[in-house]
């Protein structure tokens, strides 16, 4: 197979040697992308309100300068007392009556307990000095301003008390530089009273969608055309990664139009993401366009779907460059390669620590007797038994398989699967979907 785009370029590409060579190994490609992302400039830092930080990458580790909880407090509605003050007669089902001398709602600052008495207390309220247990209200019998405690089960010192510093100790590193701010991590930062954070500036990502057949939803479909579904998948996926998306829309299948779009994208963005036109057909202009304006470092990965994925750079006039990722055109291929390769790359570019997604090992509820020579990522659904059903179609054009399955199984090249066998499952929720 000869590649027309490679013949028509100046010959500077280090990929020329790869024609007819084996495809790039998936993990090597991912590693190469992460190295490329980290070898560039460190992203700039900005200070923002905690409230607006969801999805952003923390640029400076947040330490706690306080303990959480800040004071011993009650885990229940009940009665705070000193356990040694509770008297049980021989074989008695109930304790001797205890007098209630105080009432401590959440937010109150309680007086020390009077010896031999109890305080009525509510969830989250500070434990009065002198008390060492909270007796839950369900196990007491109230008579006026006194109550008795059922003897069983035996009470323990510290029961139903949430201790000062139990969750977070003073001085502890809380959320680390490079960690993505999730709702729970935002809450954690709020719980130590920090309201302003240093995060890395948003990555500017320009994207465009190649294909003369593409039409925007809302417009009439011409004969032979299809709607530009990938625009919605990819711009939403980029936005959910915290990127500032510059959407350049549909670009016609010509070299000149592709070059013009790349030029504009390189001027406006740190990263260019394209869809389609990156295979070897005569109508595929993305690769030759990139080669004419920069370089390609990666092309054609040993994976299915997603083989045509490309990575390189588009030069700007001032010696700097924009990163370039060319995703395949098929909507399943583009989204799968986005999740598995573009997402780690983008996280690394944003200053985030990348951790390879961990596999779940679940049984396959299907046979896969005719494997591909490439590493396959099959779309599967978790069934009621916790096993994996194969989604009804595995076509790289069928977006239903992404919309209505739960994740991918990672099948090594040439591997047969028999029903019941354990396979490596990657839930979409772990891939940012
Ligand atoms: P290509 O890689 O450009 O040859 O495209 C491969 C397949 O994906 C073709 O069937 C295209 O029509 C389809 N395709 C390309 N871009 C999109 C898009 N943005 N939305 C939906 N389908 C697309
Ligand atoms: Mg095309």
């Amino acid at each position: 197979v000869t590649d027309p785009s490679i013949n028509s370029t100046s010959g500077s590409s280090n990929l020329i040697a790869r024609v007819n060579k084996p495809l790039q190994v998936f993990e090597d490609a991912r590693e190469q992308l992460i190295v490329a992302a980290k070898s560039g400039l460190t992203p700039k830092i900005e200070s923002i309100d905690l409230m607006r930080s969801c999805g952003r990458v923390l640029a400076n580790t947040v330490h706690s300068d306080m303990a959480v909880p800040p004071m011993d407090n009650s885990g229940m509605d009940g009665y705070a007392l000193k356990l040694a003050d509770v008297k049980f007669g021989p074989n008695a089902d109930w304790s001797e009556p205890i007098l209630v001398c105080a009432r401590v709602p959440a937010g109150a600052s309680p007086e020390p307990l009077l010896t031999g008495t109890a305080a009525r207390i509510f969830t989250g309220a500070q434990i009065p000095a002198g008390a060492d247990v909270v007796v839950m209200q369900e196990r007491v019998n109230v008579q006026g301003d006194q109550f008795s405690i059922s003897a069983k089960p035996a009470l323990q010192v510290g029961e139903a008390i949430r201790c000062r510093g139990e969750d977070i100790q003073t001085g502890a590193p809380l959320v680390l530089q490079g960690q993505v701010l999730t709702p729970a991590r935002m809450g954690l930062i709020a719980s130590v009273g920090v309201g302003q954070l240093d995060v890395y500036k948003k990555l500017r990502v320009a994207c465009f969608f190649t294909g003369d057949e593409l039409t925007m939803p809302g417009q009439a479909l011409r004969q032979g055309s299809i709607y530009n579904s990938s625009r919605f998948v990819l711009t939403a996926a980029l936005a959910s990664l915290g990127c500032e998306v510059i959407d350049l829309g549909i670009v016609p299948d010509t070299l000149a139009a592709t070059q013009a779009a790349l030029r504009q994208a390189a001027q406006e963005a740190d990263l260019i993401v394209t869809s389609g036109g990156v295979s070897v057909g005569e109508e595929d202009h993305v690769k030759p366009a990139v080669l004419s304006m920069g370089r390609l470092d990666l092309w054609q990965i040993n994976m299915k779907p997603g083989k045509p994925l490309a990575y390189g750079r588009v030069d700007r006039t001032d010696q700097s460059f924009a990163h370039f990722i060319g995703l395949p055109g098929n909507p399943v291929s583009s989204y799968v390669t986005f999740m598995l390769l573009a997402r780690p790359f983008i996280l690394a570019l944003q200053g985030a620590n990348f951790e390879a997604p961990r596999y779940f090992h679940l049984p396959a509820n299907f046979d896969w007797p005719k494997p591909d020579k490439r590493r396959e990522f099959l779309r599967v659904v978790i069934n009621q038994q916790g096993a994996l059903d194969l989604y009804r179609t595995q076509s790289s054009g069928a977006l239903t398989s992404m919309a209505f399955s739960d994740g991918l199984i990672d099948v090594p090249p040439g591997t047969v699967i028999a029903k019941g066998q354990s396979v490596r499952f990657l839930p979409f929720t772990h891939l940012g979907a």
Side-chain angles (χ1 to χ4, degrees), residues 62-104:
V62 175
H63 289 84
S64 171
D65 64 5
M66 60 176 277
V68 177
M71 70 290 177
D72 292 351
N73 71 95
S74 179
M76 304 254 184
D77 290 346
Y79 297 84
L81 47 81
K82 192 178 187 67
L83 186 58
D85 293 342
V86 183
K87 306 265 180 311
F88 289 100
N91 303 322
D93 289 340
W94 294 92
S95 72
E96 287 171 13
I98 303 165
L99 189 65
V100 179
C101 286
R103 188 173 185 278
V104 192

Side-chain angles (χ1 to χ4, degrees), residues 210-214 253 275-278 283-285 329:
T210 70
D212 288 340
E213 74 279 32
L214 300 179
D253 284 322
S275 135
V278 77
E283 297 289 345
D284 294 321
H285 300 287

Side-chain angles (χ1 to χ4, degrees), residues 150-399:
S150 69
K152 285 185 187 135
L155 284 169
Q156 309 280 339
V157 167
E159 201 164 301
I161 293 179
R162 302 188 290 212
C163 292
R164 173 186 154 82
E166 171 178 297
D167 193 18
I168 301 165
Q169 284 170 8
T170 307
L174 204 55
V175 182
L176 306 182
Q177 181 263 329
Q179 288 183 327
V180 175
L181 292 156
T182 58
R185 290 170 183 172
M186 289 168 66
L188 204 56
I189 291 170
S191 76
V192 302
V194 173
Q196 193 81 13
L197 296 176
D198 289 340
V199 298
Y200 292 117
K201 280 201 163 168
K202 283 192 173 194
L203 191 70
R204 285 168 307 161
V205 183
C207 54
F208 62 84
F209 305 85
T210 70
D212 288 340
E213 74 279 32
L214 300 179
T215 303
M216 280 304 288
Q219 296 178 350
L221 205 61
R222 288 166 288 114
Q223 193 59 246
S225 65
I226 59 165
Y227 284 117
N228 182 6
S229 55
S230 294
R231 184 182 192 185
F232 296 82
V233 176
L234 297 175
T235 55
L238 285 167
S240 75
L241 275 178
C243 301
E244 187 184 315
V245 183
I246 303 157
D247 181 357
L248 302 178
I250 297 167
V251 170
D253 284 322
T254 67
L255 184 61
T258 311
Q259 286 169 324
L262 286 173
R263 196 169 299 120
Q264 186 189 345
Q267 261 351 97
E268 293 181 19
D270 311 304
L271 165 65
I272 305 166
V273 173
T274 65
S275 135
V278 77
S279 297
V280 290
E282 284 158 40
E283 297 289 345
D284 294 321
H285 300 287
V286 171
K287 202 158 62 69
V290 172
L291 284 171
S292 73
M293 304 170 69
R295 63 182 223 206
L296 274 181
D297 297 328
L298 195 60
W299 182 53
Q300 292 202 321
I301 320 292
N302 188 17
M303 63 189 290
K304 181 185 180 182
K307 173 178 147 190
L309 181 116
Y311 165 73
R313 306 171 157 190
V314 175
D315 296 326
R316 304 193 186 105
T317 44
D318 65 353
Q319 311 283 315
S320 66
F321 65 88
H323 293 279
F324 160 81
I325 287 190
L327 301 175
N330 276 304
V332 174
S333 314
S334 62
Y335 198 16
V336 167
T337 49
F338 183 90
M339 287 174 170
L340 295 176
L341 293 168
R343 180 173 176 270
F345 176 72
I346 290 169
L347 286 172
L349 267 188
Q350 288 171 319
N353 309 323
F354 172 71
E355 284 176 43
R358 267 150 286 184
Y359 292 112
F360 289 62
H361 297 273
L362 294 179
N365 188 36
F366 59 89
D367 290 311
W368 189 249
K370 291 189 187 139
D372 199 86
K373 288 205 286 287
R374 282 178 277 159
R375 182 164 174 169
E376 279 183 285
F377 293 93
L378 304 175
R379 273 77 68 212
V380 293
V381 177
I382 307 173
N383 66 23
Q384 292 297 322
Q385 288 69 45
L388 300 170
D389 292 338
L390 191 65
Y391 191 77
R392 65 176 169 80
T393 165
Q394 295 294 320
S395 160
S396 59
L399 207 42

